[in-house]
Amino acid sequence: MAKIPKVKCRGCGFEFSALRADCPQCGLRRTMGDTAQKVSAPARREGPREAKSSTPQRRSNWQLVIGLLLIAAAVVAVVLMMLAGRSGQAGRPIKPTPTPSPTYEPRPTPTPSPTPTVDNIKIFFLNNEITAEAGGFTMYVGDAPLTISARAYPNDKLSDARFSWRVSDNTKAQLTPSEDTQSCEVLVLASAGGYITLTVECFGVTYSVPLYIWER
């Protein structure tokens, strides 16, 4: 059986059948200068072996390139996520710190002034004391109003005390207290004689004297 001659590629050095027009390894086309050579059996076996050994190397090169691309994509994704997080925080409005509500302390309740203690009350007419023991005082029908005054004791603590005036019968006498209530005008209304009681009060303490009305 005749042996098929082989040629050696001038580009990569791969030996292939002389019947082929180009190199099966690198694809370089043959020229007229390429000469066929007889290759022994071991040489024929080496050619395919070299071709097979180069295929895994190319695969490993592609795997390396793909791995590098995946790593680069992961790095880019992480960078984009970090930038997006920072931009989200920058665009997020900052909530103002709430101002604490002012606290108001209640006003202290003023201590009420103690009620003054009245020992007694006296009634005067022109600085002359009118007493019930002495028989009170007398007025006549048709007389002009008579002004009397009152004092509460102890006087040094009750000098500005206010008084309340009244009579037992308003049809027989009319009372008109002064603005500070410490004096009062008494006007006889009765057309005939009679007897009534005049009373003055200060801080719950009262004093009464009789008022006799006479006809002229």
Side-chain angles (χ1 to χ4, degrees):
M1 182 176 179
K3 295 182 179 180
I4 301 173
K6 287 187 174 290
V7 295
K8 188 175 183 178
C9 179
R10 67 178 185 278
C12 64
F14 182 69
E15 293 180 354
F16 57 95
S17 174
L19 299 177
R20 293 182 61 93
D22 53 5
C23 176
Q25 178 71 21
C26 65
L28 183 65
R29 295 186 64 82
R30 289 177 55 188
T31 63
M32 295 300 293
D34 294 335
T35 58
Q37 298 178 358
K38 291 184 179 180
V39 183
S40 62
R44 287 198 299 269
R45 288 195 295 269
E46 289 177 359
R49 189 177 301 166
E50 291 177 0
K52 290 180 181 178
S53 63
S54 63
T55 302
Q57 184 177 2
R58 281 196 282 176
R59 288 180 180 175
S60 63
N61 292 338
W62 278 109
Q63 290 176 354
L64 179 61
V65 172
I66 293 174
L68 292 175
L69 290 176
L70 291 175
I71 293 174
V75 171
V76 172
V78 172
V79 172
L80 291 177
M81 289 177 62
M82 293 176 63
L83 293 176
R86 290 182 180 179
S87 63
Q89 291 180 357
R92 187 181 304 169
I94 300 175
K95 293 183 179 180
T97 304
T99 304
S101 300
T103 55
Y104 298 97
E105 295 183 359
R107 293 182 179 179
T109 303
T111 304
S113 301
T115 302
T117 301
V118 178
D119 292 340
N120 57 21
I121 300 174
K122 294 182 179 181
I123 300 175
F124 295 89
F125 172 68
L126 298 178
N127 292 326
N128 296 316
E129 184 179 358
I130 302 173
T131 63
E133 294 77 9
F137 65 105
T138 302
M139 293 185 68
Y140 290 89
V141 176
D143 278 353
L146 184 69
T147 301
I148 58 178
S149 61
R151 298 176 191 171
Y153 293 88
N155 191 39
D156 56 338
K157 297 181 180 179
L158 299 168
S159 59
D160 57 349
R162 298 184 67 83
F163 297 89
S164 174
W165 301 83
R166 62 180 180 271
V167 290
S168 58
D169 189 349
N170 292 327
T171 62
K172 293 185 177 181
Q174 175 182 330
L175 302 180
T176 305
S178 62
E179 185 175 352
D180 60 3
T181 71
Q182 293 191 1
S183 62
C184 180
E185 286 186 351
V186 182
L187 175 64
V188 174
L189 299 178
S191 57
Y195 166 81
I196 59 176
T197 301
L198 183 145
T199 303
V200 62
E201 181 178 356
C202 179
F203 293 112
V205 178
T206 60
Y207 184 67
S208 300
V209 294
L211 169 59
Y212 297 95
I213 300 175
W214 297 93
E215 296 181 8
R216 291 189 179 276

